[in-house]
Amino acid sequence: MTNSLRPDGRKPHEMRPIEADAGLIDQADGSARFKIGDTEAYASVYGPQELHPRHKQDPKQGKLRCEYNMLPFAGDGSRVRPGFSRRGEEISHVTTKALEPAVDLSEYPNAVVDVHIELTQTDAGSRCAGICAGSMALADAGIPMTDIVPAVSAGKIDDTIVVDLNGEEEHLGGNETPDLPVALIPRDETFSLMQLDGILTRDDLKECVETVKPALLDIAEKQQEALRSQYDTGVES
Amino acid sequence: MGTILVEEKDIVAPGETLAEGMDYIPGKGTFRDDDEIISKGLSLINIDGSVIKGIPMNGRYVPQEGDRVIGRVKDILMSGWKIDINSAYDSMLPLKDASHDYIEKGSDLTRYFDLGDYVAVKITSVSTQKIVDITAKGQGLQKLEGGRIIEVNPQKVPRIIGSRGSMISIIKKALDCNIFVGQNGYAWLNAEPENEVKAIQAIRRIEREAHTNGLTERISDMLDHDQGDES
């Protein structure tokens, strides 16, 4: 990497520009938008509500159910076929697992909280953007949460550890760029998502994890600020 | 020494540290993590002595014993009615709690409450598994006929009603409107159609500005102004 700059001119530890806001979908119980670079996710939350089919109900606590979906025009040019996909199913599952540790549904036995994440455009890092939007929408819906969940990816280009890969970087050198999406529960400093695509040495992995932490905390602050700022009515209090 | 990091009526996001040290006590909507008190949701801060509470800004209704709510008849069973109370859990209105009359088993229950009817009811019990029982017997509890039903944010209901009904009685008086606000976020209004619309506008404004000070005056100004425009 010449001059330690990346294809879009960013420094190695620099994320793409972030936009976040909450409470934009009236019909949903909670909603949020999270945009990082050219990747944009909308999340809407419905519930707690009755869970059907009934055999899936858990009498001990409520369930969290996330659904990740890319809109047909959200891909890199070719149309994304709507409906079920293996990839979508996997990401829905890991998103649920990433958000679960932060929510407390013990007050809602047998019920379900649904999180629908729609990607309107993607340029890598879509599951991370989805998790960011999802956790904000859950908070906006008034679901009890012990923490907010930020997520972003790390990777390695040539010999440099970088944060928040975009699509172009992911495809450098014939899709060989190692790419590590992570989600953090900031208060416990535990990771609720960590998937690796590619090959990293143990030391590189450690460096990746250390490098993304400040970025994740930065995102968490932006998420919290977006949640609070929706109540700036402009009325003197 | 403990330090408090927030003020009354601050809005906080989940995971935010509200206070450090052991001098403060975590109330509803907060929890303790070692020597810190943390917010457990997007909420409005209420400080009562050394207790820090977080009042949720949003959220579905969770049934609580003693609440007066508005329900919609969802189904009619042998032993009573299944009532939707705008929550994740349905409630049961048993025959004996439906009316002061004696209702014979097997009689036509639609004579009392038909499918889709709205009823003002009171929650008599909520089990740990959220099985909810209600009664339609009691002061002000009845089938709601005429008027219209609107949905409001259940977390804002206390603000819409005001302390000892102060806010709602301003609207009732100014617009000559009959209003019943259920704790579950269904509200029933009955008045001249124009006044119903004005009452809804006032309620929507209370919802929007619920977390601000001096709201009662602003609402009463708003209603006075409306009256002025007409004359």
Side-chain angles (χ1 to χ4, degrees):
Chain A
M1 226 162 25
T2 47
N3 301 330
S4 78
L5 277 183
R6 298 159 65 177
D8 58 358
R10 277 185 290 155
K11 298 191 196 86
H13 296 181
E14 191 183 340
M15 289 184 285
R16 293 172 281 176
I18 292 171
E19 285 172 34
D21 32 16
L24 10 88
I25 301 168
D26 270 351
Q27 279 83 353
D29 292 310
S31 58
R33 176 183 76 107
F34 188 87
K35 186 176 186 206
I36 182 160
D38 286 333
T39 301
E40 186 172 42
Y42 284 84
S44 55
V45 169
Y46 297 84
Q49 56 193 359
E50 238 180 307
L51 173 55
H52 288 293
R54 282 187 75 147
H55 68 85
K56 289 204 169 143
Q57 292 183 352
D58 181 352
K60 289 207 182 80
Q61 58 178 354
K63 275 202 166 177
L64 184 69
R65 195 162 56 177
C66 300
E67 188 210 5
Y68 166 101
N69 185 42
M70 258 168 82
L71 294 174
F73 48 80
D76 54 6
S78 57
R79 183 178 132 94
V80 180
R81 280 188 63 184
F84 179 90
S85 72
R86 273 191 175 225
R87 179 177 171 277
E89 202 69 5
E90 178 208 316
I91 298 178
S92 300
H93 181 77
V94 297
T95 302
T96 309
K97 291 293 166 199
L99 295 174
E100 244 170 12
V103 298
D104 175 11
L105 299 178
S106 54
E107 274 291 296
Y108 311 116
N110 293 324
V112 66
V113 175
D114 276 308
V115 184
H116 299 282
I117 297 163
E118 304 288 343
L119 277 296
T120 52
Q121 53 180 31
T122 61
D123 182 26
S126 67
R127 74 192 65 192
C128 294
I131 289 168
C132 290
S135 76
M136 287 169 66
L138 280 164
D140 182 47
I143 306 294
M145 286 173 86
T146 54
D147 221 334
I148 199 87
V149 188
V152 77
S153 67
K156 191 183 172 192
I157 301 174
D158 295 335
D159 283 322
T160 317
I161 302 291
V162 295
V163 171
D164 186 27
L165 298 141
N166 66 19
E168 188 185 349
E169 292 172 312
E170 228 173 43
H171 296 136
L172 283 175
N175 279 340
E176 290 291 301
T177 315
D179 166 29
L180 181 84
V182 290
L184 180 72
I185 311 291
R187 186 150 292 283
D188 313 335
E189 296 208 6
T190 54
F191 290 96
S192 58
L193 169 84
M194 191 175 286
Q195 293 183 295
L196 175 58
D197 182 15
I199 299 167
L200 281 176
T201 65
R202 182 187 284 255
D203 288 340
D204 282 341
L205 182 66
K206 273 188 185 157
E207 201 187 328
C208 275
V209 169
E210 284 317 309
T211 311
V212 283
K213 249 188 202 168
L216 287 164
L217 296 178
D218 195 20
I219 294 176
E221 232 158 76
K222 289 198 166 98
Q223 289 174 299
Q224 290 176 329
E225 174 51 31
L227 286 167
R228 274 184 257 125
S229 66
Q230 65 169 309
Y231 292 105
D232 300 343
T233 46
V235 177
E236 267 305 304
S237 63
Chain B
M1 267 315 280
T3 26
I4 188 155
L5 305 170
V6 286
E7 284 172 31
E8 177 85 15
K9 296 221 162 162
D10 272 1
I11 291 169
V12 295
E16 262 183 68
T17 308
L18 307 177
E20 287 161 354
M22 303 303 279
D23 292 345
Y24 291 94
I25 301 163
K28 229 177 169 228
T30 66
F31 66 102
R32 183 178 285 290
D33 181 25
D34 290 333
D35 64 345
E36 291 181 329
I37 295 176
I38 315 296
S39 162
K40 206 178 174 178
L42 184 58
S43 41
L44 188 71
I45 290 299
N46 172 244
I47 303 164
D48 184 5
S50 58
V51 181
I52 305 178
K53 268 197 287 188
I55 303 156
M57 296 298 287
N58 205 348
R60 287 266 176 114
Y61 173 67
V62 179
Q64 240 151 25
E65 195 178 318
D67 278 358
R68 289 149 67 88
V69 301
I70 294 176
R72 204 189 91 254
V73 179
K74 198 176 171 186
D75 202 359
I76 302 169
L77 314 170
M78 281 296 280
S79 53
W81 293 262
K82 199 170 160 190
I83 312 274
D84 164 33
I85 49 167
N86 194 27
S87 123
Y89 309 98
D90 285 330
S91 62
M92 264 299 295
L93 176 60
L95 285 183
K96 70 174 170 57
D97 286 323
S99 163
H100 290 286
D101 305 348
Y102 173 72
I103 305 174
E104 183 129 13
K105 254 207 168 143
S107 59
D108 179 17
L109 297 186
T110 60
R111 286 214 337 253
Y112 300 91
F113 303 116
D114 203 352
L115 292 175
D117 282 353
Y118 283 94
V119 205
V121 292
K122 194 171 125 184
I123 295 181
T124 50
S125 76
V126 182
S127 78
T128 55
Q129 295 311 109
K130 308 279 178 189
I131 293 167
V132 183
D133 280 320
I134 54 177
T135 177
K137 288 199 282 195
Q139 205 199 344
L141 304 182
Q142 64 188 76
K143 185 151 106 180
L144 298 171
E145 281 166 302
R148 61 177 90 189
I149 298 277
I150 61 165
E151 249 183 81
V152 299
N153 182 340
Q155 307 299 335
K156 310 284 189 220
V157 167
R159 197 73 162 111
I160 294 169
I161 294 173
S163 59
R164 271 177 271 122
S166 56
M167 187 77 87
I168 202 74
S169 53
I170 291 175
I171 305 177
K172 279 183 183 170
K173 236 180 246 159
L175 298 170
D176 190 25
C177 185
N178 224 332
I179 307 177
F180 180 95
V181 186
Q183 294 289 335
N184 61 339
Y186 283 151
W188 173 78
L189 306 99
N190 191 9
E192 291 296 316
E194 309 90 76
N195 285 1
E196 278 179 7
V197 172
K198 278 178 194 162
I200 292 171
Q201 281 167 351
I203 290 174
R204 294 289 175 229
R205 179 149 180 208
I206 300 169
E207 274 188 282
R208 257 195 327 273
E209 300 174 12
H211 56 290
T212 60
N213 284 325
L215 183 55
T216 318
E217 285 133 55
R218 281 204 301 282
I219 292 297
S220 101
D221 279 357
M222 174 184 168
L223 293 169
D224 283 351
H225 243 83
D226 269 355
Q227 300 299 310
D229 287 346
E230 265 179 355
S231 55

PDB file of all heavy atoms in Angstrom, chain A residues 75-93:
ATOM      1  N   GLY A  75     -27.341  -4.588  -4.600  1.00  0.00           N
ATOM      2  CA  GLY A  75     -26.090  -5.309  -4.823  1.00  0.00           C
ATOM      3  C   GLY A  75     -25.051  -4.464  -5.544  1.00  0.00           C
ATOM      4  O   GLY A  75     -25.137  -3.241  -5.595  1.00  0.00           O
ATOM      5  N   ASP A  76     -24.082  -5.138  -6.149  1.00  0.00           N
ATOM      6  CA  ASP A  76     -22.983  -4.420  -6.791  1.00  0.00           C
ATOM      7  C   ASP A  76     -23.258  -4.176  -8.270  1.00  0.00           C
ATOM      8  O   ASP A  76     -22.364  -3.878  -9.035  1.00  0.00           O
ATOM      9  CB  ASP A  76     -21.685  -5.199  -6.611  1.00  0.00           C
ATOM     10  CG  ASP A  76     -21.819  -6.636  -7.090  1.00  0.00           C
ATOM     11  OD1 ASP A  76     -22.887  -6.971  -7.651  1.00  0.00           O
ATOM     12  OD2 ASP A  76     -20.866  -7.415  -6.908  1.00  0.00           O
ATOM     13  N   GLY A  77     -24.483  -4.328  -8.686  1.00  0.00           N
ATOM     14  CA  GLY A  77     -24.800  -4.083 -10.092  1.00  0.00           C
ATOM     15  C   GLY A  77     -25.832  -5.066 -10.585  1.00  0.00           C
ATOM     16  O   GLY A  77     -26.870  -4.675 -11.118  1.00  0.00           O
ATOM     17  N   SER A  78     -25.582  -6.363 -10.382  1.00  0.00           N
ATOM     18  CA  SER A  78     -26.578  -7.334 -10.815  1.00  0.00           C
ATOM     19  C   SER A  78     -27.689  -7.399  -9.776  1.00  0.00           C
ATOM     20  O   SER A  78     -27.469  -7.152  -8.600  1.00  0.00           O
ATOM     21  CB  SER A  78     -25.942  -8.704 -10.985  1.00  0.00           C
ATOM     22  OG  SER A  78     -25.333  -9.097  -9.784  1.00  0.00           O
ATOM     23  N   ARG A  79     -28.887  -7.736 -10.233  1.00  0.00           N
ATOM     24  CA  ARG A  79     -30.051  -7.739  -9.364  1.00  0.00           C
ATOM     25  C   ARG A  79     -29.933  -8.828  -8.304  1.00  0.00           C
ATOM     26  O   ARG A  79     -29.544  -9.960  -8.604  1.00  0.00           O
ATOM     27  CB  ARG A  79     -31.284  -7.989 -10.238  1.00  0.00           C
ATOM     28  CG  ARG A  79     -32.598  -7.964  -9.515  1.00  0.00           C
ATOM     29  CD  ARG A  79     -33.700  -8.177 -10.539  1.00  0.00           C
ATOM     30  NE  ARG A  79     -34.624  -9.195 -10.084  1.00  0.00           N
ATOM     31  CZ  ARG A  79     -35.740  -8.916  -9.415  1.00  0.00           C
ATOM     32  NH1 ARG A  79     -36.045  -7.678  -9.128  1.00  0.00           N
ATOM     33  NH2 ARG A  79     -36.539  -9.891  -9.035  1.00  0.00           N
ATOM     34  N   VAL A  80     -30.246  -8.488  -7.058  1.00  0.00           N
ATOM     35  CA  VAL A  80     -30.271  -9.480  -5.983  1.00  0.00           C
ATOM     36  C   VAL A  80     -31.638 -10.141  -6.025  1.00  0.00           C
ATOM     37  O   VAL A  80     -32.659  -9.451  -5.943  1.00  0.00           O
ATOM     38  CB  VAL A  80     -30.050  -8.822  -4.605  1.00  0.00           C
ATOM     39  CG1 VAL A  80     -30.082  -9.862  -3.505  1.00  0.00           C
ATOM     40  CG2 VAL A  80     -28.744  -8.054  -4.588  1.00  0.00           C
ATOM     41  N   ARG A  81     -31.670 -11.454  -6.147  1.00  0.00           N
ATOM     42  CA  ARG A  81     -32.978 -12.126  -6.206  1.00  0.00           C
ATOM     43  C   ARG A  81     -33.658 -12.033  -4.852  1.00  0.00           C
ATOM     44  O   ARG A  81     -33.085 -12.427  -3.835  1.00  0.00           O
ATOM     45  CB  ARG A  81     -32.808 -13.589  -6.600  1.00  0.00           C
ATOM     46  CG  ARG A  81     -32.626 -13.748  -8.095  1.00  0.00           C
ATOM     47  CD  ARG A  81     -32.643 -15.200  -8.481  1.00  0.00           C
ATOM     48  NE  ARG A  81     -33.932 -15.833  -8.187  1.00  0.00           N
ATOM     49  CZ  ARG A  81     -34.164 -17.116  -8.370  1.00  0.00           C
ATOM     50  NH1 ARG A  81     -33.221 -17.906  -8.808  1.00  0.00           N
ATOM     51  NH2 ARG A  81     -35.351 -17.619  -8.092  1.00  0.00           N
ATOM     52  N   PRO A  82     -34.874 -11.499  -4.836  1.00  0.00           N
ATOM     53  CA  PRO A  82     -35.545 -11.366  -3.545  1.00  0.00           C
ATOM     54  C   PRO A  82     -35.937 -12.719  -2.965  1.00  0.00           C
ATOM     55  O   PRO A  82     -36.018 -13.709  -3.690  1.00  0.00           O
ATOM     56  CB  PRO A  82     -36.772 -10.519  -3.865  1.00  0.00           C
ATOM     57  CG  PRO A  82     -37.001 -10.666  -5.317  1.00  0.00           C
ATOM     58  CD  PRO A  82     -35.682 -10.991  -5.951  1.00  0.00           C
ATOM     59  N   GLY A  83     -36.156 -12.725  -1.670  1.00  0.00           N
ATOM     60  CA  GLY A  83     -36.607 -13.940  -1.011  1.00  0.00           C
ATOM     61  C   GLY A  83     -35.486 -14.678  -0.320  1.00  0.00           C
ATOM     62  O   GLY A  83     -34.420 -14.122  -0.068  1.00  0.00           O
ATOM     63  N   PHE A  84     -35.736 -15.929  -0.031  1.00  0.00           N
ATOM     64  CA  PHE A  84     -34.818 -16.733   0.768  1.00  0.00           C
ATOM     65  C   PHE A  84     -33.459 -16.890   0.092  1.00  0.00           C
ATOM     66  O   PHE A  84     -33.371 -17.134  -1.101  1.00  0.00           O
ATOM     67  CB  PHE A  84     -35.434 -18.112   1.004  1.00  0.00           C
ATOM     68  CG  PHE A  84     -34.551 -19.019   1.797  1.00  0.00           C
ATOM     69  CD1 PHE A  84     -34.649 -19.050   3.176  1.00  0.00           C
ATOM     70  CD2 PHE A  84     -33.631 -19.843   1.161  1.00  0.00           C
ATOM     71  CE1 PHE A  84     -33.830 -19.884   3.920  1.00  0.00           C
ATOM     72  CE2 PHE A  84     -32.810 -20.681   1.897  1.00  0.00           C
ATOM     73  CZ  PHE A  84     -32.916 -20.699   3.276  1.00  0.00           C
ATOM     74  N   SER A  85     -32.393 -16.731   0.862  1.00  0.00           N
ATOM     75  CA  SER A  85     -31.069 -17.094   0.365  1.00  0.00           C
ATOM     76  C   SER A  85     -30.277 -17.675   1.519  1.00  0.00           C
ATOM     77  O   SER A  85     -30.511 -17.327   2.682  1.00  0.00           O
ATOM     78  CB  SER A  85     -30.359 -15.871  -0.199  1.00  0.00           C
ATOM     79  OG  SER A  85     -29.954 -15.008   0.840  1.00  0.00           O
ATOM     80  N   ARG A  86     -29.346 -18.562   1.208  1.00  0.00           N
ATOM     81  CA  ARG A  86     -28.503 -19.148   2.254  1.00  0.00           C
ATOM     82  C   ARG A  86     -27.729 -18.079   2.977  1.00  0.00           C
ATOM     83  O   ARG A  86     -27.596 -18.085   4.194  1.00  0.00           O
ATOM     84  CB  ARG A  86     -27.504 -20.118   1.622  1.00  0.00           C
ATOM     85  CG  ARG A  86     -28.055 -21.478   1.462  1.00  0.00           C
ATOM     86  CD  ARG A  86     -26.916 -22.390   1.096  1.00  0.00           C
ATOM     87  NE  ARG A  86     -27.438 -23.749   1.047  1.00  0.00           N
ATOM     88  CZ  ARG A  86     -26.834 -24.779   1.586  1.00  0.00           C
ATOM     89  NH1 ARG A  86     -25.691 -24.616   2.208  1.00  0.00           N
ATOM     90  NH2 ARG A  86     -27.374 -25.967   1.517  1.00  0.00           N
ATOM     91  N   ARG A  87     -27.201 -17.138   2.204  1.00  0.00           N
ATOM     92  CA  ARG A  87     -26.405 -16.065   2.787  1.00  0.00           C
ATOM     93  C   ARG A  87     -27.254 -15.225   3.740  1.00  0.00           C
ATOM     94  O   ARG A  87     -26.846 -14.943   4.869  1.00  0.00           O
ATOM     95  CB  ARG A  87     -25.846 -15.201   1.655  1.00  0.00           C
ATOM     96  CG  ARG A  87     -25.030 -14.037   2.142  1.00  0.00           C
ATOM     97  CD  ARG A  87     -24.430 -13.240   0.993  1.00  0.00           C
ATOM     98  NE  ARG A  87     -23.837 -12.023   1.514  1.00  0.00           N
ATOM     99  CZ  ARG A  87     -24.499 -10.912   1.766  1.00  0.00           C
ATOM    100  NH1 ARG A  87     -25.803 -10.854   1.509  1.00  0.00           N
ATOM    101  NH2 ARG A  87     -23.894  -9.869   2.261  1.00  0.00           N
ATOM    102  N   GLY A  88     -28.462 -14.876   3.276  1.00  0.00           N
ATOM    103  CA  GLY A  88     -29.349 -14.073   4.113  1.00  0.00           C
ATOM    104  C   GLY A  88     -29.712 -14.788   5.392  1.00  0.00           C
ATOM    105  O   GLY A  88     -29.749 -14.197   6.470  1.00  0.00           O
ATOM    106  N   GLU A  89     -29.952 -16.078   5.275  1.00  0.00           N
ATOM    107  CA  GLU A  89     -30.323 -16.892   6.442  1.00  0.00           C
ATOM    108  C   GLU A  89     -29.186 -16.908   7.476  1.00  0.00           C
ATOM    109  O   GLU A  89     -29.406 -16.760   8.661  1.00  0.00           O
ATOM    110  CB  GLU A  89     -30.628 -18.316   5.953  1.00  0.00           C
ATOM    111  CG  GLU A  89     -31.487 -19.100   6.883  1.00  0.00           C
ATOM    112  CD  GLU A  89     -32.910 -18.559   6.940  1.00  0.00           C
ATOM    113  OE1 GLU A  89     -33.253 -17.624   6.176  1.00  0.00           O
ATOM    114  OE2 GLU A  89     -33.665 -19.064   7.760  1.00  0.00           O
ATOM    115  N   GLU A  90     -27.969 -17.061   6.967  1.00  0.00           N
ATOM    116  CA  GLU A  90     -26.812 -17.082   7.869  1.00  0.00           C
ATOM    117  C   GLU A  90     -26.656 -15.742   8.577  1.00  0.00           C
ATOM    118  O   GLU A  90     -26.467 -15.680   9.800  1.00  0.00           O
ATOM    119  CB  GLU A  90     -25.536 -17.393   7.077  1.00  0.00           C
ATOM    120  CG  GLU A  90     -24.293 -17.374   7.946  1.00  0.00           C
ATOM    121  CD  GLU A  90     -23.032 -17.001   7.181  1.00  0.00           C
ATOM    122  OE1 GLU A  90     -22.845 -17.522   6.061  1.00  0.00           O
ATOM    123  OE2 GLU A  90     -22.248 -16.188   7.689  1.00  0.00           O
ATOM    124  N   ILE A  91     -26.748 -14.661   7.806  1.00  0.00           N
ATOM    125  CA  ILE A  91     -26.533 -13.344   8.399  1.00  0.00           C
ATOM    126  C   ILE A  91     -27.650 -13.022   9.396  1.00  0.00           C
ATOM    127  O   ILE A  91     -27.393 -12.452  10.457  1.00  0.00           O
ATOM    128  CB  ILE A  91     -26.392 -12.270   7.306  1.00  0.00           C
ATOM    129  CG1 ILE A  91     -25.159 -12.592   6.457  1.00  0.00           C
ATOM    130  CG2 ILE A  91     -26.255 -10.894   7.914  1.00  0.00           C
ATOM    131  CD1 ILE A  91     -24.921 -11.668   5.317  1.00  0.00           C
ATOM    132  N   SER A  92     -28.890 -13.433   9.065  1.00  0.00           N
ATOM    133  CA  SER A  92     -29.988 -13.234  10.017  1.00  0.00           C
ATOM    134  C   SER A  92     -29.638 -13.898  11.340  1.00  0.00           C
ATOM    135  O   SER A  92     -29.825 -13.342  12.418  1.00  0.00           O
ATOM    136  CB  SER A  92     -31.287 -13.845   9.479  1.00  0.00           C
ATOM    137  OG  SER A  92     -31.637 -13.239   8.277  1.00  0.00           O
ATOM    138  N   HIS A  93     -29.111 -15.126  11.239  1.00  0.00           N
ATOM    139  CA  HIS A  93     -28.775 -15.896  12.438  1.00  0.00           C
ATOM    140  C   HIS A  93     -27.663 -15.221  13.245  1.00  0.00           C
ATOM    141  O   HIS A  93     -27.791 -15.041  14.459  1.00  0.00           O
ATOM    142  CB  HIS A  93     -28.375 -17.310  12.029  1.00  0.00           C
ATOM    143  CG  HIS A  93     -28.042 -18.189  13.187  1.00  0.00           C
ATOM    144  ND1 HIS A  93     -29.007 -18.756  13.988  1.00  0.00           N
ATOM    145  CD2 HIS A  93     -26.850 -18.554  13.701  1.00  0.00           C
ATOM    146  CE1 HIS A  93     -28.420 -19.451  14.937  1.00  0.00           C
ATOM    147  NE2 HIS A  93     -27.116 -19.344  14.788  1.00  0.00           N
TER     148      HIS A  93
END
